[in-house]
Amino acid sequence: MKFLNQPPRFLFFTGKGGVGKTSIACATAIQLAEAGNRVLLVSTDPASNVGQVFGITIGNNITAVPAVANLSALEIDPQAAAQGYRDRIVNPVRGILPDDVVKGIEEQLSGACTTEIAAFDEFTALLVDSPITDNYDNIIFDTAPTGHTIRLLQLPGAWSGFLEQGKGDASCLGPLAGLEKQREQYKAAVDALADANRTRLILVARAQQSTLREVARTHEELAGIGLKQQHLVINGILPKVEAENDLLAAAIYQREQTALDLIPDVLKSLPQDQVSLKAFDLVGLGALRQLLTDTPYQVSSNNSLLFEVDKPSLSSLVDSIATDGHGLVMTMGKGGVGKTTVAAAVAVELARRGLAVHLTTSDPAAHLSDTLNGAPDNLTVSRIDPHEETERYRNHVLETKGAKLDAQGRALLEEDLRSPCTEEIAVFQAFSRIIREAGKKFVVMDTAPTGHTLLLLDATGAYHREVARQMDKAHLHFTTPMMQLQDPKQTKILIVTLAEKTPVLEAANLQADLRRAGIEPWAWVINNSVAATTTNSSLLHQRALNELAEINTIATEHSKRYAVVPMAKDEPVGISRLLQLAAG
């Protein structure tokens, strides 16, 4: 693999969700560790599954991987990081300052902004020389899906610039209390990221035109902030031999080869590696050791998995959704499972039935227009763009609160609104605004990958608690976005997954997280299923056998209401193909 030639100390794996970043990062970590390097594998994804891949519990502390000498791992847990950050600021003043003052500080530190700062603080600590990292030859970062990785990698510069200019007095006063002393660490992090001798970024993609277009955008954005030492890895390519005697495999192979032929020009100059599709789930050391090789796979002789399970179509779920006439439908799940495609298919099927539909996304990396490739009657499309929403929020605050301030006060307010925390507030407000539309029409929302959706829901919950506290005192009736999400008559959550061990486990964890927030998922959607098709390819047949066990697990343990969307011969782009997908 070219990306492993003379690797620098820091390796970042990034790309669209579900392209195999975690598997390739884990396989790389094993290969370097077994070559004698001391390796630290770090996940910056709030929905990290590194521990699941290795079959151990990792968490927010550096943990040795017992089966691999020289390898340790760390999962940066945003919530644990935030709690540690709060404790470092609040504990020294507890018992010294009055209780109401301490409570006020805790409230300032309760939002999503604090969570982002705390995770960012841990991330930058790994990029500088410190006792934490001195013992490692290589530090490998398995990052969150593309849009949030760009946000993370931009933060050292954003926070450094903000601190250099001074801070304001509103949205981030509490969270920033612990940041000012970290100036040197953030500057060192910026330097390390921009140094090609110390940092290499590996863009992971699939052989799909939409994914490669997104990778091209990512390449340019990251190059624009100084990360120019980039490699491209195209993962999961179907071997040519599988296409010889099977129509489905032949169609997939041709589709992938066309995507590779049409690769965007900006990617052609990058060093490139290709990794073939494997018949097995990428869980456990044996599978990971084979991922970066061309070792022949073994077809299972175990036919005990050949049981029948129901495979209801997506349109059967839409039948039930449509009876309400309006409401919020949200697709949630791990990156790369097809949330955007499923959301688009549900939206166009509802619109086909003559119902008014607003299709939107809160995923910075989603491109609904590419998926729809057109707009049917009754359907409007939008995107919560963090930059646009932040600018709108800033203008609104300046026009309202700023209008009452003198020149000095307005200057301080403008400075405060340049904080990266402002984006979190703006995106939440846009999310709340769109939710309100669901009282009159269908709103279908494609959400960001799991971890970041949960952070958005945390902000929703924090807002709910604050409103409830104020309104209860005034004895007023109120409805918050969280209350709407918790009402099954108003909101239907579709958990989207693939019929593979890790995605199913992550979907189950997401369901548990939602239930703890008082939100009951309405149905599961099993996307891109080989088991719902007919195939003569031995590799695809083996994957279908693996899927049947996972579909059965979903049906018997996780959700009695579900749909199975078959793997399509053609990329599911355009209205007609989305309708075909919904019909099964």
Side-chain angles (χ1 to χ4, degrees):
M1 292 288 162
K2 296 175 185 175
F3 74 87
L4 282 171
N5 291 340
Q6 298 179 317
R9 189 170 190 224
F10 301 115
L11 294 170
F12 281 86
F13 290 86
T14 190
K16 182 179 169 67
V19 294
K21 296 184 303 294
T22 297
S23 299
I24 293 176
C26 290
T28 298
I30 292 170
Q31 189 163 322
L32 291 175
E34 292 183 340
N37 290 15
R38 295 163 300 174
V39 179
L40 175 62
L41 174 62
V42 181
S43 174
T44 66
D45 188 347
S48 173
N49 65 337
V50 168
Q52 295 162 6
V53 170
F54 284 113
I56 62 173
T57 299
I58 295 174
N60 208 42
N61 296 298
I62 293 177
T63 303
V65 177
V68 183
N70 302 318
L71 177 60
S72 297
L74 166 68
E75 293 175 327
I76 295 179
D77 179 343
Q79 299 305 322
Q83 187 57 52
Y85 187 89
R86 284 190 287 267
D87 291 343
R88 289 197 300 274
I89 294 175
V90 176
N91 286 349
V93 301
R94 204 183 297 276
I96 298 174
L97 297 177
D99 288 346
D100 59 335
V101 175
V102 173
K103 185 176 181 180
I105 295 173
E106 289 176 329
E107 287 180 0
Q108 282 186 306
L109 295 170
S110 65
C113 182
T114 298
T115 303
E116 178 182 70
I117 294 171
F120 155 79
D121 205 27
E122 291 202 9
F123 162 69
T124 55
L126 299 170
L127 291 169
V128 300
D129 294 329
S130 73
I132 301 173
T133 59
D134 283 346
N135 292 328
Y136 298 102
D137 301 306
N138 298 104
I139 301 178
I140 297 172
F141 292 88
D142 168 38
T143 70
T146 304
H148 300 283
T149 295
I150 292 171
R151 167 84 170 144
L152 178 68
L153 295 177
Q154 287 172 333
L155 278 173
W159 282 116
S160 295
F162 181 69
L163 292 173
E164 285 167 8
Q165 297 164 23
K167 61 179 184 284
D169 63 348
S171 64
C172 289
L173 181 58
L176 282 172
L179 274 180
E180 211 167 345
K181 64 180 89 171
Q182 302 290 78
R183 290 175 190 263
E184 291 186 8
Q185 177 172 306
Y186 301 153
K187 183 180 184 304
V190 172
D191 292 341
L193 288 171
D195 186 347
N197 294 317
R198 287 190 283 170
T199 300
R200 178 175 298 168
L201 197 98
I202 297 95
L203 304 170
V204 184
R206 294 277 187 172
Q208 301 165 348
Q209 291 187 48
S210 59
T211 304
L212 290 169
R213 283 194 297 269
E214 181 173 324
V215 168
R217 286 188 286 264
T218 302
H219 160 69
E220 293 181 313
E221 288 190 62
L222 293 176
I225 60 173
L227 278 74
K228 298 179 180 179
Q229 177 68 298
Q230 300 182 19
H231 284 238
L232 176 64
V233 175
I234 302 176
N235 187 32
I237 298 175
L238 186 70
K240 184 177 181 179
V241 65
E242 298 299 324
E244 293 175 357
N245 298 304
D246 183 70
L247 292 177
L248 176 62
I252 294 169
Y253 176 79
Q254 187 57 52
R255 186 172 76 200
E256 291 181 345
Q257 293 305 306
T258 299
L260 294 175
D261 290 340
L262 298 174
I263 190 168
D265 289 340
V266 295
L267 299 179
K268 291 179 180 177
S269 62
L270 297 182
Q272 182 188 131
D273 293 299
Q274 297 186 0
V275 179
S276 62
L277 182 68
K278 301 297 188 287
F280 46 81
D281 282 341
L282 294 168
V283 176
L285 293 178
L288 292 170
R289 286 190 177 106
Q290 294 183 66
L291 176 58
L292 301 180
T293 72
D294 290 323
T295 304
Y297 60 88
Q298 298 295 320
V299 176
S300 173
S301 59
N302 181 5
N303 291 323
S304 63
L305 298 179
L306 291 173
F307 46 76
E308 279 298 318
V309 293
D310 290 335
K311 306 182 190 72
S313 68
L314 187 59
S315 64
S316 66
L317 294 185
V318 178
D319 289 342
S320 298
I321 294 170
T323 58
D324 294 332
H326 65 86
L328 176 65
V329 180
M330 299 179 72
T331 57
M332 294 187 183
K334 169 182 164 64
V337 296
K339 296 184 301 297
T340 301
T341 300
V342 170
V346 169
V348 297
E349 177 61 24
L350 286 169
R352 184 189 67 81
R353 301 179 186 206
L355 298 162
V357 184
H358 177 184
L359 173 62
T360 188
T361 181
S362 64
D363 186 349
H367 297 276
L368 289 172
S369 58
D370 292 344
T371 302
L372 289 169
N373 194 27
D377 294 337
N378 308 316
L379 180 66
T380 57
V381 181
S382 72
R383 175 172 175 262
I384 298 176
D385 184 289
H387 298 296
E388 291 179 5
E389 296 301 334
T390 301
E391 190 61 27
R392 179 186 301 174
Y393 174 75
R394 283 178 178 142
N395 291 337
H396 174 73
V397 172
L398 288 171
E399 290 170 2
T400 53
K401 182 180 178 181
K404 304 172 185 177
L405 301 175
D406 59 20
Q408 183 179 3
R410 186 177 176 87
L412 287 172
L413 178 61
E414 288 177 345
E415 192 172 316
D416 185 62
L417 290 171
R418 287 195 293 272
S419 158
C421 286
T422 302
E423 182 179 305
E424 304 295 337
I425 301 168
V427 169
F428 166 71
Q429 289 199 350
F431 175 64
S432 302
R433 187 170 61 246
I434 288 175
I435 283 179
R436 289 195 291 270
E437 289 186 33
K440 298 179 180 178
K441 63 171 68 170
F442 278 108
V443 175
V444 180
M445 177 174 283
D446 162 42
T447 68
T450 302
H452 300 282
T453 295
L454 291 177
L455 290 180
L456 181 60
L457 292 180
D458 283 344
T460 309
Y463 174 80
H464 166 77
R465 290 188 293 274
E466 179 62 19
V467 170
R469 185 175 65 83
Q470 295 180 15
M471 293 300 183
D472 284 346
K473 287 181 180 179
H475 304 290
L476 297 173
H477 175 74
F478 64 93
T479 300
T480 66
M482 178 59 80
M483 293 166 70
Q484 182 162 342
L485 295 177
Q486 291 171 333
D487 185 349
K489 294 181 179 179
Q490 298 186 65
T491 301
K492 290 180 170 57
I493 305 291
L494 305 182
I495 293 183
V496 184
T497 186
L498 303 176
E500 299 172 12
K501 287 185 183 299
T502 299
V504 169
L505 181 57
E506 290 187 345
N509 291 338
L510 168 61
Q511 180 160 269
D513 285 333
L514 291 170
R515 285 173 172 168
R516 280 192 289 272
I519 300 170
E520 181 62 29
W522 185 73
W524 283 39
V525 178
I526 303 160
N527 192 33
N528 204 37
S529 171
V530 184
T533 68
T534 302
T535 179
N536 295 319
S537 160
S538 56
L539 187 153
L540 294 182
H541 179 69
Q542 181 62 51
R543 292 181 69 88
L545 290 177
N546 298 341
E547 285 185 3
L548 287 173
E550 299 305 322
I551 295 172
N552 185 61
T553 297
I554 291 168
T556 57
E557 298 180 18
H558 299 309
S559 181
K560 296 189 180 301
R561 185 187 289 114
Y562 67 94
V564 182
V565 179
M567 177 181 285
K569 290 182 180 179
D570 301 308
E571 195 166 355
V573 173
I575 306 302
S576 61
R577 290 179 184 173
L578 289 169
L579 290 172
Q580 290 173 13
L581 212 64

